[in-house]
């Protein structure tokens, strides 16, 4: 991918906010583990529980692989679930930023660990 810092920053920020927001109404055991074995800390904000780290899973919670896309041209045109690593550098950026997921991945309702979900508008309003 060509480096487009501002565009990538905005995309990263948007997706990080969405993914960071995986939430659950009851207090789960800390840490939460995804299907790939990655663990995440949680945080209570008011009455809500959120994951305190960005997701870095490569699979949906049913075990289905999420397609890795490393080409900016393909990323812009793909209409199926996909993810990438910031600057295509998993080694440096997996833990630091997590994975970047497209809207098709987020809309699948299978991205977060079982029992967790990407919060909807009402949950964001409650957080505010």
């Amino acid at each position: 991918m060509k480096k487009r810092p501002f565009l990538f920053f905005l995309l990263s920020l948007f997706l990080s906010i969405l993914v960071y927001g995986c939430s659950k109404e009851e207090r789960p055991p800390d840490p939460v583990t995804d299907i790939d074995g990655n663990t995440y800390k949680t945080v209570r904000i008011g009455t809500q529980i959120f994951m305190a780290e960005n997701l870095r899973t490569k699979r949906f919670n049913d075990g289905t692989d999420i397609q890795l896309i490393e080409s900016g041209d393909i990323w812009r045109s793909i209409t199926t679930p996909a993810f990438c690593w910031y600057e295509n550098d998993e080694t440096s950026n997996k833990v630091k930023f997590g994975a970047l997921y497209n809207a098709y991945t987020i809309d699948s309702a299978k991205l977060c660990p079982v029992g967790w979900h990407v919060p909807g508008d009402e949950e964001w309003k409650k957080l505010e």
Side-chain angles (χ1 to χ4, degrees), residues 6-34:
F6 183 70
L7 178 62
F8 214 29
F9 170 77
L10 287 179
L11 176 64
S12 299
L13 179 63
F14 173 74
L15 294 177
S16 294
I17 289 169
L18 285 177
V19 174
Y20 171 80
C22 286
S23 66
K24 186 172 184 170
E25 295 190 19
E26 299 174 14
R27 178 88 181 154
D30 209 12
V32 173
T33 304
D34 68 26

CSV table of all heavy atoms in Angstrom, one decimal, residues 6-34:
chain,number,residue,atom,x,y,z
A,6,PHE,N,-2.6,10.5,6.4
A,6,PHE,CA,-3.9,11.1,6.9
A,6,PHE,C,-5.0,10.2,6.7
A,6,PHE,O,-5.8,9.9,7.7
A,6,PHE,CB,-4.2,12.5,6.3
A,6,PHE,CG,-5.4,13.1,6.9
A,6,PHE,CD1,-5.4,13.6,8.2
A,6,PHE,CD2,-6.5,13.2,6.1
A,6,PHE,CE1,-6.5,14.2,8.7
A,6,PHE,CE2,-7.7,13.8,6.7
A,6,PHE,CZ,-7.6,14.3,8.0
A,7,LEU,N,-5.2,9.6,5.5
A,7,LEU,CA,-6.3,8.7,5.2
A,7,LEU,C,-6.2,7.4,6.1
A,7,LEU,O,-7.1,7.0,6.7
A,7,LEU,CB,-6.3,8.3,3.8
A,7,LEU,CG,-7.3,7.3,3.3
A,7,LEU,CD1,-8.7,7.9,3.6
A,7,LEU,CD2,-7.2,7.0,1.8
A,8,PHE,N,-5.0,6.9,6.2
A,8,PHE,CA,-4.8,5.7,7.0
A,8,PHE,C,-5.0,6.0,8.5
A,8,PHE,O,-5.6,5.2,9.2
A,8,PHE,CB,-3.4,5.1,6.8
A,8,PHE,CG,-3.3,3.7,6.9
A,8,PHE,CD1,-4.4,2.9,6.5
A,8,PHE,CD2,-2.2,3.0,7.3
A,8,PHE,CE1,-4.4,1.5,6.6
A,8,PHE,CE2,-2.1,1.6,7.3
A,8,PHE,CZ,-3.2,0.9,7.0
A,9,PHE,N,-4.6,7.2,8.9
A,9,PHE,CA,-4.9,7.6,10.3
A,9,PHE,C,-6.4,7.7,10.6
A,9,PHE,O,-6.8,7.1,11.6
A,9,PHE,CB,-4.2,9.0,10.6
A,9,PHE,CG,-4.7,9.5,12.0
A,9,PHE,CD1,-4.1,9.0,13.1
A,9,PHE,CD2,-5.6,10.5,12.0
A,9,PHE,CE1,-4.5,9.5,14.4
A,9,PHE,CE2,-6.0,11.0,13.2
A,9,PHE,CZ,-5.5,10.5,14.4
A,10,LEU,N,-7.1,8.3,9.7
A,10,LEU,CA,-8.6,8.4,9.9
A,10,LEU,C,-9.2,7.0,9.9
A,10,LEU,O,-10.1,6.7,10.8
A,10,LEU,CB,-9.2,9.2,8.8
A,10,LEU,CG,-9.0,10.7,8.9
A,10,LEU,CD1,-9.6,11.4,7.8
A,10,LEU,CD2,-9.5,11.3,10.2
A,11,LEU,N,-8.8,6.1,9.0
A,11,LEU,CA,-9.3,4.8,8.9
A,11,LEU,C,-9.0,4.0,10.2
A,11,LEU,O,-9.8,3.4,10.8
A,11,LEU,CB,-8.8,4.0,7.7
A,11,LEU,CG,-9.2,2.6,7.6
A,11,LEU,CD1,-10.7,2.4,7.4
A,11,LEU,CD2,-8.4,1.9,6.4
A,12,SER,N,-7.7,4.2,10.6
A,12,SER,CA,-7.3,3.5,11.8
A,12,SER,C,-8.1,4.0,13.1
A,12,SER,O,-8.5,3.2,13.9
A,12,SER,CB,-5.8,3.7,12.1
A,12,SER,OG,-5.0,3.2,11.0
A,13,LEU,N,-8.3,5.3,13.1
A,13,LEU,CA,-9.0,5.8,14.3
A,13,LEU,C,-10.4,5.3,14.3
A,13,LEU,O,-10.9,4.9,15.3
A,13,LEU,CB,-9.0,7.4,14.2
A,13,LEU,CG,-9.7,8.1,15.3
A,13,LEU,CD1,-9.1,7.8,16.7
A,13,LEU,CD2,-9.7,9.6,15.0
A,14,PHE,N,-11.1,5.4,13.1
A,14,PHE,CA,-12.5,4.9,13.0
A,14,PHE,C,-12.6,3.4,13.4
A,14,PHE,O,-13.4,3.0,14.2
A,14,PHE,CB,-13.0,5.1,11.6
A,14,PHE,CG,-14.3,4.5,11.3
A,14,PHE,CD1,-15.5,5.1,11.9
A,14,PHE,CD2,-14.5,3.4,10.6
A,14,PHE,CE1,-16.7,4.6,11.7
A,14,PHE,CE2,-15.7,2.8,10.4
A,14,PHE,CZ,-16.8,3.4,10.9
A,15,LEU,N,-11.8,2.6,12.8
A,15,LEU,CA,-11.8,1.2,13.1
A,15,LEU,C,-11.4,0.8,14.5
A,15,LEU,O,-12.0,0.0,15.2
A,15,LEU,CB,-11.0,0.4,12.1
A,15,LEU,CG,-11.6,0.5,10.7
A,15,LEU,CD1,-10.6,-0.3,9.7
A,15,LEU,CD2,-12.9,-0.1,10.6
A,16,SER,N,-10.4,1.6,15.1
A,16,SER,CA,-10.0,1.3,16.4
A,16,SER,C,-11.1,1.7,17.4
A,16,SER,O,-11.4,0.9,18.4
A,16,SER,CB,-8.8,2.2,16.8
A,16,SER,OG,-7.7,1.8,16.0
A,17,ILE,N,-11.8,2.7,17.1
A,17,ILE,CA,-13.0,3.1,18.0
A,17,ILE,C,-14.0,2.0,17.9
A,17,ILE,O,-14.6,1.6,19.0
A,17,ILE,CB,-13.5,4.5,17.6
A,17,ILE,CG1,-12.6,5.6,18.0
A,17,ILE,CG2,-14.9,4.7,18.3
A,17,ILE,CD1,-12.9,6.9,17.5
A,18,LEU,N,-14.3,1.5,16.7
A,18,LEU,CA,-15.4,0.5,16.6
A,18,LEU,C,-14.9,-0.8,17.3
A,18,LEU,O,-15.6,-1.4,18.0
A,18,LEU,CB,-15.7,0.2,15.2
A,18,LEU,CG,-16.5,1.2,14.5
A,18,LEU,CD1,-16.7,0.9,13.0
A,18,LEU,CD2,-17.9,1.4,15.1
A,19,VAL,N,-13.7,-1.2,17.0
A,19,VAL,CA,-13.2,-2.5,17.6
A,19,VAL,C,-12.9,-2.4,19.1
A,19,VAL,O,-13.3,-3.3,19.8
A,19,VAL,CB,-12.0,-3.0,16.8
A,19,VAL,CG1,-11.4,-4.2,17.4
A,19,VAL,CG2,-12.4,-3.3,15.4
A,20,TYR,N,-12.4,-1.3,19.5
A,20,TYR,CA,-12.1,-1.1,20.9
A,20,TYR,C,-13.4,-1.2,21.7
A,20,TYR,O,-13.4,-1.7,22.8
A,20,TYR,CB,-11.5,0.3,21.2
A,20,TYR,CG,-11.4,0.7,22.6
A,20,TYR,CD1,-10.4,0.3,23.4
A,20,TYR,CD2,-12.4,1.6,23.2
A,20,TYR,CE1,-10.3,0.6,24.7
A,20,TYR,CE2,-12.3,1.9,24.5
A,20,TYR,CZ,-11.2,1.5,25.3
A,20,TYR,OH,-11.1,1.8,26.6
A,21,GLY,N,-14.5,-0.9,21.0
A,21,GLY,CA,-15.8,-0.9,21.7
A,21,GLY,C,-16.5,-2.3,21.9
A,21,GLY,O,-17.6,-2.3,22.3
A,22,CYS,N,-15.8,-3.4,21.6
A,22,CYS,CA,-16.4,-4.6,21.9
A,22,CYS,C,-16.9,-4.6,23.3
A,22,CYS,O,-16.1,-4.3,24.2
A,22,CYS,CB,-15.5,-5.8,21.7
A,22,CYS,SG,-15.2,-6.2,19.9
A,23,SER,N,-18.1,-4.9,23.6
A,23,SER,CA,-18.6,-4.7,25.0
A,23,SER,C,-19.4,-5.9,25.4
A,23,SER,O,-19.9,-6.7,24.6
A,23,SER,CB,-19.4,-3.5,25.1
A,23,SER,OG,-20.6,-3.5,24.3
A,24,LYS,N,-19.6,-6.0,26.7
A,24,LYS,CA,-20.4,-7.0,27.3
A,24,LYS,C,-21.0,-6.4,28.5
A,24,LYS,O,-20.5,-5.6,29.2
A,24,LYS,CB,-19.5,-8.2,27.7
A,24,LYS,CG,-20.3,-9.4,28.2
A,24,LYS,CD,-19.4,-10.6,28.4
A,24,LYS,CE,-20.2,-11.8,28.9
A,24,LYS,NZ,-19.4,-13.0,28.9
A,25,GLU,N,-22.2,-6.8,28.8
A,25,GLU,CA,-23.0,-6.2,29.9
A,25,GLU,C,-22.5,-6.7,31.3
A,25,GLU,O,-22.6,-6.0,32.3
A,25,GLU,CB,-24.5,-6.4,29.7
A,25,GLU,CG,-24.9,-5.7,28.5
A,25,GLU,CD,-26.4,-5.6,28.3
A,25,GLU,OE1,-27.1,-5.8,29.3
A,25,GLU,OE2,-26.9,-5.3,27.2
A,26,GLU,N,-22.1,-7.9,31.4
A,26,GLU,CA,-21.6,-8.5,32.7
A,26,GLU,C,-20.1,-8.5,32.7
A,26,GLU,O,-19.5,-8.5,31.7
A,26,GLU,CB,-22.1,-9.9,32.9
A,26,GLU,CG,-23.6,-10.0,32.9
A,26,GLU,CD,-24.1,-11.4,32.9
A,26,GLU,OE1,-23.3,-12.3,33.2
A,26,GLU,OE2,-25.3,-11.7,32.6
A,27,ARG,N,-19.6,-8.5,33.9
A,27,ARG,CA,-18.1,-8.5,34.1
A,27,ARG,C,-17.6,-9.9,33.7
A,27,ARG,O,-17.9,-10.8,34.4
A,27,ARG,CB,-17.7,-8.1,35.5
A,27,ARG,CG,-16.3,-8.2,35.8
A,27,ARG,CD,-15.7,-6.8,35.5
A,27,ARG,NE,-14.2,-6.9,35.7
A,27,ARG,CZ,-13.4,-6.1,35.1
A,27,ARG,NH1,-13.8,-5.2,34.3
A,27,ARG,NH2,-12.1,-6.2,35.3
A,28,PRO,N,-16.8,-10.0,32.7
A,28,PRO,CA,-16.2,-11.3,32.3
A,28,PRO,C,-14.9,-11.5,33.1
A,28,PRO,O,-14.4,-10.6,33.7
A,28,PRO,CB,-15.9,-11.1,30.8
A,28,PRO,CG,-15.5,-9.6,30.7
A,28,PRO,CD,-16.5,-8.9,31.7
A,29,PRO,N,-14.4,-12.7,33.0
A,29,PRO,CA,-13.1,-12.9,33.6
A,29,PRO,C,-12.1,-12.1,32.8
A,29,PRO,O,-12.2,-12.0,31.6
A,29,PRO,CB,-12.9,-14.4,33.5
A,29,PRO,CG,-13.9,-14.9,32.6
A,29,PRO,CD,-15.0,-13.9,32.5
A,30,ASP,N,-11.1,-11.6,33.5
A,30,ASP,CA,-10.1,-10.8,32.9
A,30,ASP,C,-8.9,-11.7,32.8
A,30,ASP,O,-8.5,-12.2,33.7
A,30,ASP,CB,-9.8,-9.5,33.7
A,30,ASP,CG,-9.3,-8.3,32.9
A,30,ASP,OD1,-9.4,-8.3,31.7
A,30,ASP,OD2,-8.9,-7.4,33.6
A,31,PRO,N,-8.3,-11.9,31.7
A,31,PRO,CA,-8.5,-11.2,30.4
A,31,PRO,C,-9.5,-12.0,29.5
A,31,PRO,O,-9.8,-13.2,29.8
A,31,PRO,CB,-7.1,-11.3,29.8
A,31,PRO,CG,-6.5,-12.5,30.3
A,31,PRO,CD,-7.0,-12.6,31.7
A,32,VAL,N,-9.9,-11.4,28.5
A,32,VAL,CA,-10.8,-12.0,27.5
A,32,VAL,C,-9.9,-12.6,26.4
A,32,VAL,O,-8.9,-12.0,26.0
A,32,VAL,CB,-11.7,-10.9,26.8
A,32,VAL,CG1,-12.5,-11.5,25.7
A,32,VAL,CG2,-12.7,-10.4,27.9
A,33,THR,N,-10.2,-13.8,25.9
A,33,THR,CA,-9.4,-14.4,24.9
A,33,THR,C,-10.2,-14.6,23.6
A,33,THR,O,-11.4,-15.0,23.6
A,33,THR,CB,-8.9,-15.8,25.4
A,33,THR,OG1,-8.2,-15.6,26.6
A,33,THR,CG2,-8.0,-16.5,24.4
A,34,ASP,N,-9.6,-14.3,22.5
A,34,ASP,CA,-10.3,-14.5,21.2
A,34,ASP,C,-10.0,-15.9,20.6
A,34,ASP,O,-9.2,-16.6,21.2
A,34,ASP,CB,-9.9,-13.4,20.2
A,34,ASP,CG,-8.5,-13.4,19.7
A,34,ASP,OD1,-7.8,-14.4,19.7
A,34,ASP,OD2,-8.0,-12.3,19.3
